[in-house]
Amino acid sequence: MSTLIATGPDRLIQKGGEMTGPSLTVLVPLLVLLVALAVDSWVYADARKHVRQGEPAVFALGPVRIATPEAWFAGCLILWVVFFPLYLTVTGRNPFR
């Protein structure tokens, strides 16, 4: 019978040395971060494409105005949960309407 030994917050080792590697508590947040960065990069590239076509994605609410690809990227990077759906809505791609 083998038992797992915890050697730290990110590694599990099976007694006998047969199984090592990062645990799911490390892999899941890393995967979420990589997906968010990939989506942020897509938002930046798509916003640049809209600017080149002469149809920039612009959102304005009072004094707040988001119109450049860099602003969309930074917004998504800082507060992805708000800015990504907002970008989809501004560009007409909102799947929830």
Side-chain angles (χ1 to χ4, degrees):
M1 182 173 157
S2 63
T3 57
L4 294 176
I5 302 169
T7 61
D10 59 315
R11 296 193 55 85
L12 290 176
I13 299 175
Q14 185 174 0
K15 194 172 184 178
E18 295 134 7
M19 183 175 88
T20 63
S23 67
L24 285 179
T25 57
V26 172
L27 291 179
V28 171
L30 185 60
L31 181 62
V32 169
L33 178 65
L34 290 175
V35 168
L37 286 174
V39 170
D40 293 349
S41 298
W42 174 81
V43 166
Y44 177 75
D46 192 61
R48 283 188 60 178
K49 183 182 84 171
H50 279 276
V51 168
R52 281 194 304 268
Q53 293 174 347
E55 303 169 352
V58 178
F59 174 78
L61 181 64
V64 177
R65 186 169 191 271
I66 304 166
T68 65
E70 293 80 10
W72 282 111
F73 179 77
C76 286
L77 195 62
I78 294 168
L79 197 56
W80 186 82
V81 172
V82 172
F83 282 89
F84 181 61
L86 186 62
Y87 181 77
L88 292 178
T89 302
V90 167
T91 58
R93 293 188 179 110
N94 188 349
F96 301 110
R97 59 177 172 131

